[in-house]
Amino acid sequence: MSLTLPATAQHRPTAAVAPTETPECEASTCAGISTPESAELHTAWPGWIPLLVIAVLVISCLGFAIGRIGGW
């Protein structure tokens, strides 16, 4: 069982025009709805608090790893 299709006319590709660049304000899905960050958020957390949390996590992970390796 074979299927024969009629020969179609060759169509030549047309010259494509380069698209224009999308303006930055239209590229985002939240265009036009952003609000400026309040000044209070700049000093909401002192710099040492996140570092302290990270240090506690690192020390906990290292302690667990050393405990697992050492077999204590």
Side-chain angles (χ1 to χ4, degrees):
M1 178 184 222
S2 66
L3 178 66
T4 57
L5 297 174
T8 59
Q10 297 283 339
H11 79 276
R12 297 188 327 211
T14 58
V17 178
T20 58
E21 187 172 331
T22 305
E24 185 176 347
C25 62
E26 295 177 9
S28 175
T29 57
C30 60
I33 63 169
S34 63
T35 58
E37 184 176 324
S38 65
E40 290 83 19
L41 292 178
H42 291 271
T43 57
W45 289 90
W48 59 271
I49 291 179
L51 291 177
L52 181 65
V53 171
I54 292 170
V56 168
L57 287 172
V58 168
I59 291 170
S60 299
C61 290
L62 284 176
F64 179 77
I66 291 171
R68 292 288 292 172
I69 293 170
W72 295 325

